[in-house]
Amino acid sequence: MYSIIRLLIGGIFLLCAIIMIKKSNAVKKKLLVILAAIGAVVLTMALAFVPFENLFVTFHSPEAAYGYFTGETNIRIVVEGQQSDYVVGGSGDKNVSLIVPKTNDGWKVGIGADTKLVSQSIQDGIVLYVYRYQNTNEYYLTVFDTNGGTSEITDCMGSEFYPVAQANAALDKEFVTYYSYLPNPDPSYWISVNNITITPFEE
């Protein structure tokens, strides 16, 4: 719905511009129509980064806010934070994740540009990503073992790791991605995955 509304706004802008151009006394109307079309495209793209719905819409759940932005209705997991939630959905072997901000009244629209990848580690087949929501202390971590199967995970914060399993028919294996919330982690933070210790914030 998020993208559809922006396409509609861009379409209405273009339609109104064309009507005004045709009714005007302009000489180079064809050129003006082309410029109007370019303006409609630019407007649509710019609005993709402006969740103006947050001024007047509050969603009753993180799943609803996620679905509005992504169009995805199959929710796999919600990792709860304090100021935001990390929602993962998708179908088949495709995961679509989004950090959704929340208020005292409910959840707002989150956009991908608000999510920052602050760390990426690959060690012995273990792939680890750490994301941060805007400039807050809300961090989320994903862990994936490319060797397949479940993983034994602990960290220095005693975090809880939530698994999402997906079967790969071609490889005849099950792969599990783990998600966790990290509130304001220390630079010395470490995580152990199958006895492999990773320190994602160390340079």
Side-chain angles (χ1 to χ4, degrees):
M1 185 60 70
Y2 185 90
S3 298
I4 292 174
I5 288 178
R6 279 140 185 85
L7 288 172
L8 286 174
I9 292 174
I12 292 171
F13 171 84
L14 179 58
L15 179 61
C16 292
I18 291 174
I19 292 174
M20 292 177 62
I21 291 170
K22 287 186 175 181
K23 289 184 177 181
S24 71
N25 296 321
V27 177
K28 298 182 179 180
K29 292 186 178 181
K30 186 176 181 179
L31 176 60
L32 291 176
V33 170
I34 294 174
L35 292 175
I38 294 173
V41 171
V42 172
L43 175 63
T44 301
M45 294 177 63
L47 288 177
F49 297 95
V50 183
F52 54 81
E53 294 91 336
N54 286 342
L55 296 174
F56 49 85
V57 175
T58 300
F59 295 88
H60 68 280
S61 69
E63 293 90 342
Y66 169 90
Y68 177 83
F69 180 79
T70 65
E72 180 62 60
T73 57
N74 183 39
I75 307 300
R76 287 179 167 153
I77 197 168
V78 177
V79 180
E80 295 186 5
Q82 296 177 353
Q83 304 173 49
S84 63
D85 290 335
Y86 189 91
V87 186
V88 180
S91 56
D93 59 355
K94 180 182 179 182
N95 283 337
V96 179
S97 59
L98 182 70
I99 297 180
V100 179
K102 59 184 175 183
T103 66
N104 292 331
D105 300 320
W107 287 261
K108 296 292 185 177
V109 177
I111 61 175
D114 289 336
T115 300
K116 301 178 181 180
L117 176 62
V118 296
S119 178
Q120 175 180 343
S121 304
I122 302 176
Q123 187 172 327
D124 295 330
I126 305 298
V127 181
L128 184 148
Y129 296 100
V130 181
Y131 300 96
R132 183 183 186 184
Y133 178 67
Q134 293 185 341
N135 292 319
T136 68
N137 291 326
E138 302 272 278
Y139 291 78
Y140 296 91
L141 181 148
T142 71
V143 180
F144 176 73
D145 187 350
T146 60
N147 299 305
T150 59
S151 299
E152 293 291 332
I153 306 177
T154 58
D155 71 355
C156 60
M157 295 176 65
S159 305
E160 185 169 358
F161 295 88
Y162 303 90
V164 173
Q166 294 173 268
N168 188 305
L171 298 176
D172 193 26
K173 280 186 177 182
E174 183 179 69
F175 293 87
V176 184
T177 304
Y178 294 84
Y179 300 89
S180 185
Y181 168 61
L182 302 178
N184 195 25
D186 189 89
S188 61
Y189 171 84
W190 60 262
I191 178 173
S192 175
V193 184
N194 299 331
N195 296 319
I196 298 172
T197 300
I198 301 172
T199 51
F201 299 110
E202 286 190 355
E203 297 182 357

mmCIF file of all heavy atoms in Angstrom, residues 116-121 128-132 136-142 155-157 159 180-191 197-203:
data_model
loop_
_atom_site.group_PDB
_atom_site.id
_atom_site.type_symbol
_atom_site.label_atom_id
_atom_site.label_comp_id
_atom_site.label_asym_id
_atom_site.label_seq_id
_atom_site.Cartn_x
_atom_site.Cartn_y
_atom_site.Cartn_z
ATOM 1 N N LYS A 116 20.371 0.914 9.462
ATOM 2 C CA LYS A 116 21.784 1.046 9.103
ATOM 3 C C LYS A 116 22.532 -0.244 9.413
ATOM 4 O O LYS A 116 22.446 -0.765 10.527
ATOM 5 C CB LYS A 116 22.423 2.199 9.891
ATOM 6 C CG LYS A 116 21.757 3.551 9.669
ATOM 7 C CD LYS A 116 22.417 4.622 10.528
ATOM 8 C CE LYS A 116 21.755 5.978 10.334
ATOM 9 N NZ LYS A 116 22.394 7.038 11.163
ATOM 10 N N LEU A 117 23.248 -0.754 8.428
ATOM 11 C CA LEU A 117 24.116 -1.905 8.662
ATOM 12 C C LEU A 117 25.408 -1.389 9.292
ATOM 13 O O LEU A 117 26.183 -0.683 8.645
ATOM 14 C CB LEU A 117 24.414 -2.620 7.337
ATOM 15 C CG LEU A 117 25.400 -3.792 7.409
ATOM 16 C CD1 LEU A 117 24.863 -4.901 8.301
ATOM 17 C CD2 LEU A 117 25.703 -4.322 6.015
ATOM 18 N N VAL A 118 25.630 -1.728 10.555
ATOM 19 C CA VAL A 118 26.801 -1.198 11.269
ATOM 20 C C VAL A 118 27.930 -2.214 11.380
ATOM 21 O O VAL A 118 29.073 -1.853 11.681
ATOM 22 C CB VAL A 118 26.416 -0.706 12.682
ATOM 23 C CG1 VAL A 118 25.447 0.451 12.594
ATOM 24 C CG2 VAL A 118 25.825 -1.834 13.520
ATOM 25 N N SER A 119 27.627 -3.489 11.135
ATOM 26 C CA SER A 119 28.680 -4.496 11.222
ATOM 27 C C SER A 119 28.313 -5.719 10.390
ATOM 28 O O SER A 119 27.148 -6.139 10.358
ATOM 29 C CB SER A 119 28.907 -4.920 12.679
ATOM 30 O OG SER A 119 29.897 -5.924 12.770
ATOM 31 N N GLN A 120 29.311 -6.265 9.745
ATOM 32 C CA GLN A 120 29.144 -7.498 8.967
ATOM 33 C C GLN A 120 30.361 -8.380 9.196
ATOM 34 O O GLN A 120 31.497 -7.933 9.023
ATOM 35 C CB GLN A 120 28.998 -7.182 7.479
ATOM 36 C CG GLN A 120 28.937 -8.409 6.591
ATOM 37 C CD GLN A 120 28.799 -8.060 5.116
ATOM 38 O OE1 GLN A 120 28.437 -6.958 4.766
ATOM 39 N NE2 GLN A 120 29.097 -9.012 4.249
ATOM 40 N N SER A 121 30.126 -9.608 9.612
ATOM 41 C CA SER A 121 31.224 -10.533 9.892
ATOM 42 C C SER A 121 30.957 -11.879 9.229
ATOM 43 O O SER A 121 29.833 -12.379 9.272
ATOM 44 C CB SER A 121 31.385 -10.740 11.409
ATOM 45 O OG SER A 121 31.581 -9.507 12.080
ATOM 46 N N LEU A 128 27.250 -12.973 10.090
ATOM 47 C CA LEU A 128 26.616 -12.178 11.144
ATOM 48 C C LEU A 128 26.448 -10.734 10.679
ATOM 49 O O LEU A 128 27.385 -10.129 10.147
ATOM 50 C CB LEU A 128 27.461 -12.245 12.413
ATOM 51 C CG LEU A 128 26.932 -11.571 13.671
ATOM 52 C CD1 LEU A 128 27.400 -12.333 14.901
ATOM 53 C CD2 LEU A 128 27.436 -10.121 13.771
ATOM 54 N N TYR A 129 25.255 -10.195 10.872
ATOM 55 C CA TYR A 129 24.971 -8.799 10.551
ATOM 56 C C TYR A 129 24.415 -8.109 11.793
ATOM 57 O O TYR A 129 23.634 -8.706 12.548
ATOM 58 C CB TYR A 129 23.939 -8.670 9.434
ATOM 59 C CG TYR A 129 24.371 -9.231 8.103
ATOM 60 C CD1 TYR A 129 23.936 -10.484 7.685
ATOM 61 C CD2 TYR A 129 25.212 -8.506 7.253
ATOM 62 C CE1 TYR A 129 24.315 -11.007 6.456
ATOM 63 C CE2 TYR A 129 25.600 -9.023 6.022
ATOM 64 C CZ TYR A 129 25.146 -10.262 5.632
ATOM 65 O OH TYR A 129 25.533 -10.783 4.416
ATOM 66 N N VAL A 130 24.814 -6.855 11.991
ATOM 67 C CA VAL A 130 24.255 -6.046 13.062
ATOM 68 C C VAL A 130 23.656 -4.786 12.435
ATOM 69 O O VAL A 130 24.336 -4.072 11.689
ATOM 70 C CB VAL A 130 25.309 -5.637 14.111
ATOM 71 C CG1 VAL A 130 24.660 -4.803 15.213
ATOM 72 C CG2 VAL A 130 25.972 -6.877 14.704
ATOM 73 N N TYR A 131 22.381 -4.543 12.738
ATOM 74 C CA TYR A 131 21.678 -3.375 12.209
ATOM 75 C C TYR A 131 21.333 -2.418 13.342
ATOM 76 O O TYR A 131 21.085 -2.838 14.480
ATOM 77 C CB TYR A 131 20.393 -3.801 11.506
ATOM 78 C CG TYR A 131 20.606 -4.730 10.337
ATOM 79 C CD1 TYR A 131 20.490 -6.109 10.496
ATOM 80 C CD2 TYR A 131 20.934 -4.233 9.079
ATOM 81 C CE1 TYR A 131 20.696 -6.977 9.436
ATOM 82 C CE2 TYR A 131 21.131 -5.087 8.006
ATOM 83 C CZ TYR A 131 21.016 -6.456 8.188
ATOM 84 O OH TYR A 131 21.217 -7.300 7.134
ATOM 85 N N ARG A 132 21.267 -1.145 13.001
ATOM 86 C CA ARG A 132 20.904 -0.121 13.975
ATOM 87 C C ARG A 132 19.739 0.695 13.429
ATOM 88 O O ARG A 132 19.706 1.030 12.237
ATOM 89 C CB ARG A 132 22.095 0.802 14.238
ATOM 90 C CG ARG A 132 21.844 1.877 15.301
ATOM 91 C CD ARG A 132 23.079 2.766 15.424
ATOM 92 N NE ARG A 132 22.939 3.712 16.522
ATOM 93 C CZ ARG A 132 23.837 4.660 16.795
ATOM 94 N NH1 ARG A 132 24.940 4.763 16.048
ATOM 95 N NH2 ARG A 132 23.657 5.481 17.811
ATOM 96 N N THR A 136 19.536 5.627 17.111
ATOM 97 C CA THR A 136 19.138 5.207 18.455
ATOM 98 C C THR A 136 20.088 4.152 18.993
ATOM 99 O O THR A 136 21.060 3.758 18.337
ATOM 100 C CB THR A 136 17.708 4.629 18.425
ATOM 101 O OG1 THR A 136 17.726 3.385 17.698
ATOM 102 C CG2 THR A 136 16.745 5.589 17.744
ATOM 103 N N ASN A 137 19.794 3.666 20.200
ATOM 104 C CA ASN A 137 20.552 2.570 20.792
ATOM 105 C C ASN A 137 19.905 1.220 20.504
ATOM 106 O O ASN A 137 20.199 0.227 21.180
ATOM 107 C CB ASN A 137 20.671 2.770 22.307
ATOM 108 C CG ASN A 137 21.562 3.943 22.654
ATOM 109 O OD1 ASN A 137 22.540 4.225 21.959
ATOM 110 N ND2 ASN A 137 21.236 4.654 23.728
ATOM 111 N N GLU A 138 19.016 1.186 19.509
ATOM 112 C CA GLU A 138 18.319 -0.038 19.136
ATOM 113 C C GLU A 138 19.133 -0.781 18.065
ATOM 114 O O GLU A 138 19.244 -0.322 16.924
ATOM 115 C CB GLU A 138 16.932 0.295 18.572
ATOM 116 C CG GLU A 138 16.061 1.076 19.524
ATOM 117 C CD GLU A 138 15.262 0.165 20.447
ATOM 118 O OE1 GLU A 138 14.226 -0.342 20.045
ATOM 119 O OE2 GLU A 138 15.726 -0.019 21.598
ATOM 120 N N TYR A 139 19.695 -1.913 18.441
ATOM 121 C CA TYR A 139 20.472 -2.733 17.522
ATOM 122 C C TYR A 139 19.809 -4.117 17.390
ATOM 123 O O TYR A 139 19.243 -4.643 18.355
ATOM 124 C CB TYR A 139 21.898 -2.927 18.029
ATOM 125 C CG TYR A 139 22.756 -1.683 18.011
ATOM 126 C CD1 TYR A 139 22.615 -0.700 18.998
ATOM 127 C CD2 TYR A 139 23.723 -1.485 17.032
ATOM 128 C CE1 TYR A 139 23.402 0.441 19.002
ATOM 129 C CE2 TYR A 139 24.536 -0.355 17.032
ATOM 130 C CZ TYR A 139 24.364 0.600 18.017
ATOM 131 O OH TYR A 139 25.152 1.730 18.007
ATOM 132 N N TYR A 140 19.900 -4.674 16.206
ATOM 133 C CA TYR A 140 19.378 -6.027 15.960
ATOM 134 C C TYR A 140 20.438 -6.842 15.240
ATOM 135 O O TYR A 140 21.161 -6.333 14.386
ATOM 136 C CB TYR A 140 18.090 -5.967 15.126
ATOM 137 C CG TYR A 140 16.965 -5.270 15.841
ATOM 138 C CD1 TYR A 140 16.775 -3.899 15.694
ATOM 139 C CD2 TYR A 140 16.096 -5.964 16.673
ATOM 140 C CE1 TYR A 140 15.743 -3.244 16.363
ATOM 141 C CE2 TYR A 140 15.067 -5.317 17.344
ATOM 142 C CZ TYR A 140 14.899 -3.958 17.182
ATOM 143 O OH TYR A 140 13.878 -3.312 17.846
ATOM 144 N N LEU A 141 20.504 -8.095 15.611
ATOM 145 C CA LEU A 141 21.557 -8.964 15.104
ATOM 146 C C LEU A 141 20.947 -10.163 14.394
ATOM 147 O O LEU A 141 19.941 -10.727 14.843
ATOM 148 C CB LEU A 141 22.430 -9.418 16.273
ATOM 149 C CG LEU A 141 23.624 -10.331 16.013
ATOM 150 C CD1 LEU A 141 24.723 -10.022 17.022
ATOM 151 C CD2 LEU A 141 23.222 -11.797 16.163
ATOM 152 N N THR A 142 21.545 -10.559 13.265
ATOM 153 C CA THR A 142 21.133 -11.781 12.575
ATOM 154 C C THR A 142 22.349 -12.694 12.429
ATOM 155 O O THR A 142 23.462 -12.228 12.167
ATOM 156 C CB THR A 142 20.549 -11.499 11.177
ATOM 157 O OG1 THR A 142 21.587 -11.083 10.280
ATOM 158 C CG2 THR A 142 19.499 -10.394 11.251
ATOM 159 N N ASP A 155 25.931 -15.099 24.033
ATOM 160 C CA ASP A 155 26.687 -13.850 23.936
ATOM 161 C C ASP A 155 26.889 -13.264 25.323
ATOM 162 O O ASP A 155 26.363 -13.782 26.316
ATOM 163 C CB ASP A 155 26.013 -12.850 22.989
ATOM 164 C CG ASP A 155 24.725 -12.260 23.567
ATOM 165 O OD1 ASP A 155 24.279 -12.678 24.665
ATOM 166 O OD2 ASP A 155 24.145 -11.373 22.919
ATOM 167 N N CYS A 156 27.658 -12.192 25.399
ATOM 168 C CA CYS A 156 28.018 -11.618 26.692
ATOM 169 C C CYS A 156 26.878 -10.852 27.346
ATOM 170 O O CYS A 156 26.987 -10.451 28.509
ATOM 171 C CB CYS A 156 29.232 -10.699 26.545
ATOM 172 S SG CYS A 156 28.977 -9.309 25.424
ATOM 173 N N MET A 157 25.774 -10.650 26.621
ATOM 174 C CA MET A 157 24.641 -9.922 27.174
ATOM 175 C C MET A 157 23.507 -10.849 27.601
ATOM 176 O O MET A 157 22.477 -10.389 28.083
ATOM 177 C CB MET A 157 24.121 -8.907 26.146
ATOM 178 C CG MET A 157 25.110 -7.810 25.806
ATOM 179 S SD MET A 157 24.522 -6.682 24.499
ATOM 180 C CE MET A 157 23.115 -5.924 25.306
ATOM 181 N N SER A 159 21.622 -12.539 25.618
ATOM 182 C CA SER A 159 20.519 -12.251 24.703
ATOM 183 C C SER A 159 19.749 -13.517 24.340
ATOM 184 O O SER A 159 20.271 -14.636 24.385
ATOM 185 C CB SER A 159 21.047 -11.601 23.428
ATOM 186 O OG SER A 159 21.801 -10.449 23.714
ATOM 187 N N SER A 180 18.148 -11.420 17.055
ATOM 188 C CA SER A 180 18.212 -10.999 18.457
ATOM 189 C C SER A 180 18.206 -9.476 18.558
ATOM 190 O O SER A 180 18.622 -8.777 17.626
ATOM 191 C CB SER A 180 19.463 -11.562 19.128
ATOM 192 O OG SER A 180 19.476 -11.250 20.516
ATOM 193 N N TYR A 181 17.746 -8.996 19.700
ATOM 194 C CA TYR A 181 17.731 -7.556 20.004
ATOM 195 C C TYR A 181 18.905 -7.241 20.915
ATOM 196 O O TYR A 181 19.126 -7.915 21.927
ATOM 197 C CB TYR A 181 16.416 -7.192 20.678
ATOM 198 C CG TYR A 181 16.377 -5.819 21.286
ATOM 199 C CD1 TYR A 181 16.544 -4.668 20.511
ATOM 200 C CD2 TYR A 181 16.159 -5.652 22.661
ATOM 201 C CE1 TYR A 181 16.492 -3.409 21.072
ATOM 202 C CE2 TYR A 181 16.093 -4.397 23.230
ATOM 203 C CZ TYR A 181 16.269 -3.273 22.434
ATOM 204 O OH TYR A 181 16.222 -2.022 23.002
ATOM 205 N N LEU A 182 19.672 -6.206 20.546
ATOM 206 C CA LEU A 182 20.812 -5.778 21.351
ATOM 207 C C LEU A 182 20.628 -4.321 21.766
ATOM 208 O O LEU A 182 20.868 -3.411 20.967
ATOM 209 C CB LEU A 182 22.122 -5.916 20.553
ATOM 210 C CG LEU A 182 22.493 -7.291 20.017
ATOM 211 C CD1 LEU A 182 23.792 -7.199 19.222
ATOM 212 C CD2 LEU A 182 22.631 -8.293 21.161
ATOM 213 N N PRO A 183 20.215 -4.069 22.994
ATOM 214 C CA PRO A 183 20.048 -2.682 23.440
ATOM 215 C C PRO A 183 21.383 -2.066 23.834
ATOM 216 O O PRO A 183 22.003 -2.485 24.809
ATOM 217 C CB PRO A 183 19.106 -2.809 24.647
ATOM 218 C CG PRO A 183 19.367 -4.183 25.182
ATOM 219 C CD PRO A 183 19.753 -5.036 24.006
ATOM 220 N N ASN A 184 21.843 -1.110 23.046
ATOM 221 C CA ASN A 184 23.062 -0.363 23.347
ATOM 222 C C ASN A 184 24.243 -1.280 23.686
ATOM 223 O O ASN A 184 24.805 -1.218 24.782
ATOM 224 C CB ASN A 184 22.804 0.601 24.509
ATOM 225 C CG ASN A 184 23.898 1.646 24.624
ATOM 226 O OD1 ASN A 184 24.577 1.967 23.655
ATOM 227 N ND2 ASN A 184 24.075 2.175 25.821
ATOM 228 N N PRO A 185 24.680 -2.120 22.765
ATOM 229 C CA PRO A 185 25.779 -3.050 23.064
ATOM 230 C C PRO A 185 27.107 -2.329 23.256
ATOM 231 O O PRO A 185 27.373 -1.302 22.641
ATOM 232 C CB PRO A 185 25.822 -3.940 21.808
ATOM 233 C CG PRO A 185 25.268 -3.068 20.723
ATOM 234 C CD PRO A 185 24.204 -2.245 21.383
ATOM 235 N N ASP A 186 27.915 -2.887 24.122
ATOM 236 C CA ASP A 186 29.251 -2.349 24.383
ATOM 237 C C ASP A 186 30.169 -2.657 23.197
ATOM 238 O O ASP A 186 29.995 -3.678 22.527
ATOM 239 C CB ASP A 186 29.806 -2.998 25.656
ATOM 240 C CG ASP A 186 31.080 -2.339 26.126
ATOM 241 O OD1 ASP A 186 30.994 -1.375 26.902
ATOM 242 O OD2 ASP A 186 32.161 -2.795 25.699
ATOM 243 N N PRO A 187 31.171 -1.805 22.923
ATOM 244 C CA PRO A 187 32.111 -2.076 21.817
ATOM 245 C C PRO A 187 32.837 -3.409 21.967
ATOM 246 O O PRO A 187 33.306 -3.978 20.976
ATOM 247 C CB PRO A 187 33.084 -0.900 21.896
ATOM 248 C CG PRO A 187 32.291 0.208 22.512
ATOM 249 C CD PRO A 187 31.388 -0.457 23.504
ATOM 250 N N SER A 188 32.943 -3.909 23.200
ATOM 251 C CA SER A 188 33.634 -5.178 23.425
ATOM 252 C C SER A 188 32.683 -6.377 23.312
ATOM 253 O O SER A 188 33.061 -7.513 23.653
ATOM 254 C CB SER A 188 34.292 -5.183 24.805
ATOM 255 O OG SER A 188 33.320 -5.035 25.830
ATOM 256 N N TYR A 189 31.494 -6.139 22.852
ATOM 257 C CA TYR A 189 30.484 -7.203 22.739
ATOM 258 C C TYR A 189 31.028 -8.396 21.950
ATOM 259 O O TYR A 189 31.681 -8.240 20.925
ATOM 260 C CB TYR A 189 29.238 -6.657 22.042
ATOM 261 C CG TYR A 189 28.211 -7.713 21.681
ATOM 262 C CD1 TYR A 189 27.283 -8.146 22.610
ATOM 263 C CD2 TYR A 189 28.208 -8.297 20.409
ATOM 264 C CE1 TYR A 189 26.354 -9.126 22.291
ATOM 265 C CE2 TYR A 189 27.276 -9.273 20.081
ATOM 266 C CZ TYR A 189 26.350 -9.685 21.020
ATOM 267 O OH TYR A 189 25.430 -10.652 20.702
ATOM 268 N N TRP A 190 30.726 -9.606 22.442
ATOM 269 C CA TRP A 190 31.101 -10.818 21.720
ATOM 270 C C TRP A 190 29.933 -11.781 21.659
ATOM 271 O O TRP A 190 29.034 -11.766 22.494
ATOM 272 C CB TRP A 190 32.318 -11.503 22.354
ATOM 273 C CG TRP A 190 32.133 -11.927 23.793
ATOM 274 C CD1 TRP A 190 32.534 -11.248 24.906
ATOM 275 C CD2 TRP A 190 31.483 -13.126 24.254
ATOM 276 N NE1 TRP A 190 32.190 -11.939 26.044
ATOM 277 C CE2 TRP A 190 31.542 -13.091 25.663
ATOM 278 C CE3 TRP A 190 30.874 -14.203 23.637
ATOM 279 C CZ2 TRP A 190 30.991 -14.120 26.458
ATOM 280 C CZ3 TRP A 190 30.320 -15.225 24.412
ATOM 281 C CH2 TRP A 190 30.397 -15.168 25.814
ATOM 282 N N ILE A 191 29.990 -12.618 20.649
ATOM 283 C CA ILE A 191 28.971 -13.657 20.478
ATOM 284 C C ILE A 191 29.677 -14.949 20.089
ATOM 285 O O ILE A 191 30.662 -14.928 19.331
ATOM 286 C CB ILE A 191 27.930 -13.248 19.406
ATOM 287 C CG1 ILE A 191 26.902 -14.371 19.218
ATOM 288 C CG2 ILE A 191 28.582 -12.867 18.095
ATOM 289 C CD1 ILE A 191 25.758 -13.984 18.298
ATOM 290 N N THR A 197 33.903 -17.630 18.343
ATOM 291 C CA THR A 197 33.670 -16.335 18.966
ATOM 292 C C THR A 197 33.887 -15.204 17.951
ATOM 293 O O THR A 197 34.908 -15.168 17.260
ATOM 294 C CB THR A 197 34.607 -16.126 20.175
ATOM 295 O OG1 THR A 197 34.367 -17.158 21.126
ATOM 296 C CG2 THR A 197 34.343 -14.768 20.822
ATOM 297 N N ILE A 198 32.898 -14.336 17.883
ATOM 298 C CA ILE A 198 32.950 -13.202 16.949
ATOM 299 C C ILE A 198 32.757 -11.923 17.747
ATOM 300 O O ILE A 198 31.872 -11.829 18.608
ATOM 301 C CB ILE A 198 31.863 -13.330 15.868
ATOM 302 C CG1 ILE A 198 32.039 -14.644 15.086
ATOM 303 C CG2 ILE A 198 31.904 -12.137 14.904
ATOM 304 C CD1 ILE A 198 30.896 -14.945 14.130
ATOM 305 N N THR A 199 33.591 -10.927 17.464
ATOM 306 C CA THR A 199 33.451 -9.607 18.090
ATOM 307 C C THR A 199 33.132 -8.585 16.993
ATOM 308 O O THR A 199 34.046 -7.985 16.420
ATOM 309 C CB THR A 199 34.754 -9.220 18.825
ATOM 310 O OG1 THR A 199 35.856 -9.379 17.920
ATOM 311 C CG2 THR A 199 34.974 -10.101 20.039
ATOM 312 N N PRO A 200 31.862 -8.386 16.678
ATOM 313 C CA PRO A 200 31.464 -7.599 15.502
ATOM 314 C C PRO A 200 31.806 -6.129 15.552
ATOM 315 O O PRO A 200 31.903 -5.482 14.496
ATOM 316 C CB PRO A 200 29.944 -7.804 15.442
ATOM 317 C CG PRO A 200 29.554 -8.165 16.847
ATOM 318 C CD PRO A 200 30.694 -8.935 17.395
ATOM 319 N N PHE A 201 32.000 -5.562 16.741
ATOM 320 C CA PHE A 201 32.246 -4.121 16.828
ATOM 321 C C PHE A 201 33.719 -3.750 16.889
ATOM 322 O O PHE A 201 34.063 -2.570 16.893
ATOM 323 C CB PHE A 201 31.518 -3.532 18.044
ATOM 324 C CG PHE A 201 30.027 -3.700 17.975
ATOM 325 C CD1 PHE A 201 29.379 -4.576 18.828
ATOM 326 C CD2 PHE A 201 29.265 -2.999 17.046
ATOM 327 C CE1 PHE A 201 28.010 -4.749 18.776
ATOM 328 C CE2 PHE A 201 27.905 -3.162 16.977
ATOM 329 C CZ PHE A 201 27.264 -4.040 17.852
ATOM 330 N N GLU A 202 34.579 -4.753 16.955
ATOM 331 C CA GLU A 202 36.005 -4.457 16.984
ATOM 332 C C GLU A 202 36.503 -4.154 15.589
ATOM 333 O O GLU A 202 36.130 -4.830 14.617
ATOM 334 C CB GLU A 202 36.782 -5.649 17.565
ATOM 335 C CG GLU A 202 36.646 -5.804 19.059
ATOM 336 C CD GLU A 202 37.603 -6.818 19.613
ATOM 337 O OE1 GLU A 202 38.315 -7.481 18.806
ATOM 338 O OE2 GLU A 202 37.666 -6.988 20.847
ATOM 339 N N GLU A 203 37.337 -3.148 15.471
ATOM 340 C CA GLU A 203 37.878 -2.754 14.173
ATOM 341 C C GLU A 203 39.068 -3.635 13.797
ATOM 342 O O GLU A 203 39.776 -4.128 14.646
ATOM 343 C CB GLU A 203 38.300 -1.281 14.203
ATOM 344 C CG GLU A 203 37.135 -0.333 14.457
ATOM 345 C CD GLU A 203 37.574 1.122 14.435
ATOM 346 O OE1 GLU A 203 38.799 1.368 14.287
ATOM 347 O OE2 GLU A 203 36.720 2.024 14.546
#
